[in-house]
Each structure stands twice: as C-alpha cells, then as structure tokens.
Amino acid sequence: MNIRQKVSLLLILLSIMLALLPLTANRSFSEKPSKLLAEVLGADVSVTVDEVAEFIVREDPDVRLIDLRPADVFIKEAIPGAVNVPYSEFIRSDPDTWISNREVRTIFYSTGNSEADYALVYARGMGYNNCYIMAGGITEWVRTVLDTKFSGGRITARENALFETRRRAGEMYTEYSSLPDSLKAKFLESKKFSAKKLDGGCE
Amino acid sequence: MKFLRQYPFVLIVFLLMVVLVLFRSFGGNNFRYDAARWAESSVKGSNLLTVDQLSAMTGAVLVLNLGDEADLPGQLRPKTVIMRPESITGKENLRLIRKHRGPVILFSDDASTSARVWMILSEMGMRDVYILRDPGAVAE
Amino acid sequence: MAPLSSLYVFPEWLNMLMAFLIGTGFGFALEQAGFSSSRKLAGMFYGYDATVLKVFFTAAIVALIGSQFLGFFGVLNLNQVYVNEFYVTASVVGGFIMGAGFIMGGFCPGTGICAMSIGKIDAMVFVAGGFVGAFLFTETYSLIEGLATAQYRGPVKINEVLGLSPGVFTMILVVAAVGMFWLAELAEKRFARPDITNDL
C-alpha cells in the first residue's frame, strides 16, 4: 500500500475523532486542581478595601479594577477607574481580552463576594496569576470607606492616614458616581477595552 | 479492524490519539475541557440552594461542611461530612464525592470558600454540586 | 498555556531569526517538491499534474486537524489565531486577477520568489511584475477603495456560517479533500504527459 493512502486514511480517522469531540473555541483550566485549590484558598489572593482606596487615591497605574456587576448597576455607582465586564460576559468570552496584561494587578469586585470569587478561580485556573479580589465587594466598600466617621477624642498618626485615605477615596467615589450618566458613558467609552486586533495573514 | 491491521503505522498513531483524548476527557485528577460550559450555572445562579430547597430535597444528599463543625439544622446533620477545604482534591475526598449519586451541597460559614471550591469541583466535571446560600440563616 | 508570544516577550532579533528560519524551511520544501518549475504549477491548470492541489490541500488539512487537537489539549488558544477578514467583492475580483497571473506567469507569489532564488530569469521578471502591480495598487488605491472594501464580512469562519461544529466541518473538509485527491490522480492519468522530474 502506498504512503498516500496511509496518510489519507490516518487523516480521515483523526477527523472522525474530531467530529465526535465537543469542540468549541472556549478555553480550559490548565493548572493542576490541587495546586489551584491551595492557591485560591490562600489569604494573599484578596485585597482589602482600604488597599483599594489607597490605589485609587494614588492613582496607581499598576492596578486594574474589574467590576463584574451588570452594566446598568455599574453606570449608577462604581469605583473610579474600574472597568465594567459583567460576570456573564467574563465567563462566556476569552478572559485574555481583559486580563492578558501581566504587568498590572487585576482586582475583581462584585456586589458581594461570590462572582468575584468565581472569576478569581476562573482566571487563575487559566494561569493568570496576576488576579486578586477585593474582599467583601461593593458592600464592604460602602460600609468601610463611605460610612466610617471619625469618632472619639485622640487618634494615632496611622489611623489618621487611614481615615484621610478613606475620606478622599470616598469623595472621589461619590463625585464620580454623581456625574450625569451621559458624561460617564462618554468617559467610559474612552476607557473601553478594544479587543486586541490581531495582525497576520498570509499570501 | 482486520482492514486496519494492514497499516500498523496508522493504527499506532490513531490509538495513541484516542488514548490521549480519552485521558483529557475523563482523566481522574484533571480539569475538564471547555471551562465556560462548566461555569455556566454560576452565571445563571442555578448553583445556589436555599435552606428550604435543601430541606425539600429527597434522595441521597451529601452535605460537605467546609467550615467549622455544627451550624446545620438537626435533620441535615446525619448527611453531613466535614471536610477541610484545602484537602478536597485529595484522593479519598474526591472518590467520596464522585461516588456519591445525587446532589452534593457545599456549606461553609465563609461564602468565599464555598464559591471557590464550587468552581474547582465543577471545572473538574461534577455537575450536581450546589452551594448552600446564606449559611448564617441555617444557624438560627 | 497560551500562545508563546503572549506568555513571553521575545527579543526582536529572535523573532526575526525564527521568521528567517521558518521562511527558509518553507522555501526549501517548495523547491524540493518541484514548485519552482512553472511547468509543474501550470500542470494544475491543464490537468496533467495535480501536485499543487495535493500539497497545499494536505498542508491545510494537516494544519487544521493539528490545531484542533492542540486546542483541545489546551496547548493552543484558538481565539488568538488570526482569521483572515473577508471582503466578498475584493476576493472574487482578486481571485480572478491572481488566477490569470498564475497561469500566465507560471508561478504563485511564493513559488515565484523560490524560483527566483535558484536563478530563474522568468521568475525574476515575474517578481518584478509583482512589485509593479503592488506599486500601481498603492498609487491608485483611492480610485479602487470602494471596490476593495465592498461587502465587508469581518473575520468569519465557514463552520460558523454553516452552523457546524469545528470538528464536523473538519471531517467534511478532510473527506472532500481526499475525494478530490482521488479525482486529481484520475485526471493525471487521463491527461498524462511525459515525466519532467529529470528536467527540473
């Protein structure tokens, strides 16, 4: 039998196998389960709201906040600088679109914790180790940053710095959230992720 | 098959690919293909159970207590297994979960832990895993 | 594992070196297969030699099967593979021009460069013609822009248009390709001409 027939036969058999597989363009987790589990149960995957407040006040360029809440909630109130990727969209498309830049730390947050937790495991499972969550989500943010009032007589220098950061982050949050929707939409449009355009082609 | 045996080279390559594909699809301690499909029920929220829904469930329910002991209402306690979350991918624990026919309920006083463990178990191909919502309410 | 280029940043010279090595390998393979001969390429048109069809189609289906398997095993992220953008009118018009140039010149752009580098004078003229064409295209682009960008469909995939899963489409294409090879070999016998392997 000549080699052409063998190769043809092999290619046909392999393609039949492919036809039987549930192929999609979606990706799969690449880490080992036990390694991933240890990683995401560790304490160093979460960032406190105070740390986030500090990033905001310092306008830290090495941090990117991703808001997983639905778009209509996001437009009403959001942490300044955050980018909105609704959770359903995050799961259903390639996360590489949003978190491929490994030079920055990506911090997820949602209303409470759950969706940020899912997204954290999802992203880390695919090998994006630059992902973290903001512990407690927006609920905790509002409780800690917006609603803390200075009380009592004496205050230490460190406490003072903490309260100052919270106050300024809170001001920025309120100011940003009270912008008219049209203005905000325009601002967000300029920050929107443009899906990376791939170069290539062949002749 | 006799037809194939005339071409040993074709047969070897084909069988090798079959083995690799089977291992990728059903290999024991691995994540399954297509992460988005396994995460879908977390988008819809159908992976969450309330205490009432859990109490109404008939059949074999396995409740995994990932937190500290106690907290569950009396009638559920016999079905509960206490499991440290960090050891859930251990051989014995995985076998226990996989062998169980029926829903597996994750329960923890820290909602983050159950959410993260849920994502890992479900990406490993376990469909019938749920999170018990609002565990605080159970204690009361 | 994502594609290599998104995991690591390679230095520019290494990218260039890899491109050079892959290009050299490609040229060598073309020359080995006899593609630097315009008689072999024109044979496709007259039906006496279907090597071009067989080689390019085999390359396409091997790459297709390979990339699908690599995607399945998580080695290759298929979302990051470039999909050519589809301009319907431009593809039809360009296809006719390309086909006419192919049969008149006796080369396709890649094999033309391959033949030029082994010193064939006709190939040098062919490549020079290609440059003139590219120059004219650029200079007159404003006139033909409407034609070039008409009926833009974006980076579409055939299997998505047909509503088939990638695997099923792969199978259909492979079976069709093998059937085509069989027909091509029949045609080769029907329109046979003296063997030219030794003249090349």
Side-chain angles (χ1 to χ4, degrees):
Chain A
M1 267 305 161
N2 72 39
I3 185 81
R4 292 173 199 190
Q5 276 156 330
K6 283 185 195 171
V7 171
S8 305
L9 179 66
L10 180 63
L11 290 176
I12 289 178
L13 285 177
L14 290 178
S15 67
I16 291 173
M17 197 152 79
L18 282 175
L20 296 174
L21 292 175
L23 292 183
T24 60
N26 295 336
R27 294 167 61 196
S28 319
F29 279 24
S30 53
E31 299 279 332
K32 278 266 149 233
S34 49
K35 187 169 163 275
L36 180 63
L37 183 75
E39 199 177 293
V40 297
L41 289 178
D44 52 351
V45 291
S46 49
V47 174
T48 64
V49 285
D50 277 322
E51 285 173 276
V52 173
E54 214 184 313
F55 294 143
I56 308 280
V57 171
R58 277 192 314 178
E59 297 186 6
D60 196 324
D62 296 332
V63 169
R64 162 175 284 171
L65 285 166
I66 291 194
D67 189 321
L68 296 163
R69 298 172 305 160
D72 53 331
V73 184
F74 173 77
I75 198 84
K76 287 201 194 90
E77 272 193 341
I79 298 181
V83 186
N84 182 221
V85 183
Y87 177 65
S88 56
E89 203 180 323
F90 180 79
I91 292 292
R92 286 174 189 155
S93 48
D94 190 347
D96 208 68
T97 324
W98 299 293
I99 53 180
S100 60
N101 187 352
R102 282 153 204 276
E103 310 280 304
V104 300
R105 297 167 77 186
T106 300
I107 301 175
F108 295 115
Y109 71 85
S110 49
T111 312
N113 257 350
S114 305
E115 291 183 339
D117 281 318
Y118 299 142
L120 172 83
V121 180
Y122 199 76
R124 288 210 169 218
M126 291 188 185
Y128 298 97
N129 291 331
N130 54 338
C131 294
Y132 302 84
I133 74 163
M134 181 172 91
I138 281 289
T139 319
E140 178 67 21
W141 169 271
V142 170
R143 204 175 61 80
T144 309
V145 175
L146 294 189
D147 295 350
T148 37
K149 299 275 181 296
F150 169 69
S151 61
R154 295 172 61 83
I155 189 167
T156 63
R158 185 199 250 157
E159 268 171 351
N160 190 33
L162 182 66
F163 280 115
E164 184 58 25
T165 309
R166 282 182 187 175
R167 190 185 59 76
R168 285 180 52 196
E171 267 174 24
M172 288 168 80
Y173 177 83
T174 328
E175 210 172 286
Y176 173 77
S177 296
S178 56
L179 285 176
D181 283 2
S182 58
L183 208 63
K184 234 188 294 183
K186 232 177 238 171
F187 170 71
L188 290 172
E189 196 57 39
S190 68
K191 290 184 60 90
K192 212 174 177 182
F193 288 102
S194 49
K196 277 181 301 174
K197 189 139 168 105
L198 297 165
D199 307 331
C202 58
E203 252 61 56
Chain B
M1 271 298 111
K2 194 186 164 207
F3 168 67
L4 272 179
R5 230 171 278 141
Q6 295 170 335
Y7 312 99
F9 155 78
V10 173
L11 195 64
I12 289 170
V13 177
F14 180 65
L15 286 182
L16 183 75
M17 290 309 290
V18 170
V19 170
L20 283 175
V21 166
L22 287 179
F23 184 75
R24 179 73 187 83
S25 306
F26 306 108
N29 197 6
N30 259 328
F31 286 122
R32 295 283 190 261
Y33 176 70
D34 193 350
R37 183 159 71 98
W38 296 105
E40 186 61 26
S41 64
S42 70
V43 176
K44 295 189 193 122
S46 58
N47 61 335
L48 299 175
L49 278 187
T50 59
V51 182
D52 294 341
Q53 282 171 309
L54 174 59
S55 309
M57 260 184 183
T58 52
V61 180
L62 176 69
V63 182
L64 299 182
N65 188 347
L66 303 172
D68 299 318
E69 210 177 333
D71 289 345
L72 268 180
Q75 76 270 23
L76 285 172
R77 210 164 289 146
K79 302 167 183 166
T80 305
V81 176
I82 297 170
M83 224 178 245
R84 303 298 313 152
E86 53 273 16
S87 69
I88 208 152
T89 54
K91 247 187 194 151
E92 306 241 317
N93 286 346
L94 271 186
R95 193 180 305 144
L96 181 77
I97 300 170
R98 279 196 197 278
K99 265 177 80 179
H100 177 73
R101 299 269 160 259
V104 175
I105 319 292
L106 300 176
F107 163 66
S108 166
D109 37 7
D110 177 12
S112 278
T113 308
S114 28
R116 292 176 198 178
V117 167
W118 179 86
M119 186 56 103
I120 287 183
L121 288 181
S122 118
E123 290 290 341
M124 290 176 83
M126 297 175 212
R127 280 173 202 284
D128 230 3
V129 181
Y130 303 89
I131 298 172
L132 188 61
R133 190 156 55 175
D134 203 8
V138 184
E140 285 153 21
Chain C
M1 269 201 352
L4 286 177
S5 57
S6 98
L7 271 184
Y8 312 104
V9 179
F10 289 117
E12 188 61 23
W13 65 267
L14 192 59
N15 274 332
M16 288 296 181
L17 182 70
M18 284 197 295
F20 178 74
L21 291 178
I22 293 171
T24 311
F26 180 59
F28 183 75
L30 281 183
E31 162 59 20
Q32 274 290 299
F35 277 22
S36 51
S37 158
S38 41
R39 276 187 280 177
K40 198 129 195 149
L41 296 166
M44 186 64 237
F45 187 77
Y46 297 110
Y48 63 82
D49 190 336
T51 315
V52 179
L53 173 88
K54 286 186 274 185
V55 167
F56 279 112
F57 244 99
T58 310
I61 58 179
V62 169
L64 179 63
I65 292 177
S67 59
Q68 297 291 344
F69 271 115
L70 289 178
F72 181 73
F73 290 121
V75 182
L76 175 71
N77 182 357
L78 289 175
N79 294 320
Q80 294 200 341
V81 174
Y82 177 77
V83 179
N84 238 335
E85 292 176 356
F86 187 29
Y87 297 89
V88 181
T89 316
S91 300
V92 173
V93 175
F96 271 107
I97 298 175
M98 161 100 184
F102 198 148
I103 189 60
M104 286 192 281
F107 297 108
C108 68
T111 58
I113 289 170
C114 183
M116 186 186 76
S117 46
I118 59 168
K120 290 201 170 168
I121 295 164
D122 57 342
M124 293 178 197
V125 177
F126 179 85
V127 172
F131 277 118
V132 172
F135 177 76
L136 286 178
F137 176 79
T138 321
E139 287 302 311
T140 59
Y141 185 72
S142 52
L143 301 177
I144 55 172
E145 194 171 0
L147 181 74
T149 54
Q151 294 200 47
Y152 175 62
R153 295 283 166 84
V156 289
K157 293 180 181 165
I158 302 180
N159 69 304
E160 284 166 7
V161 174
L162 297 177
L164 294 171
S165 91
V168 171
F169 180 75
T170 306
M171 187 185 74
I172 292 172
L173 192 70
V174 170
V175 171
V178 171
M180 224 156 53
F181 296 161
W182 180 69
L183 280 180
E185 301 218 326
L186 283 188
E188 280 175 357
K189 282 186 194 124
R190 172 94 167 65
F191 303 104
R193 290 191 188 187
D195 188 26
I196 53 164
T197 311
N198 295 326
D199 316 344
L200 294 180

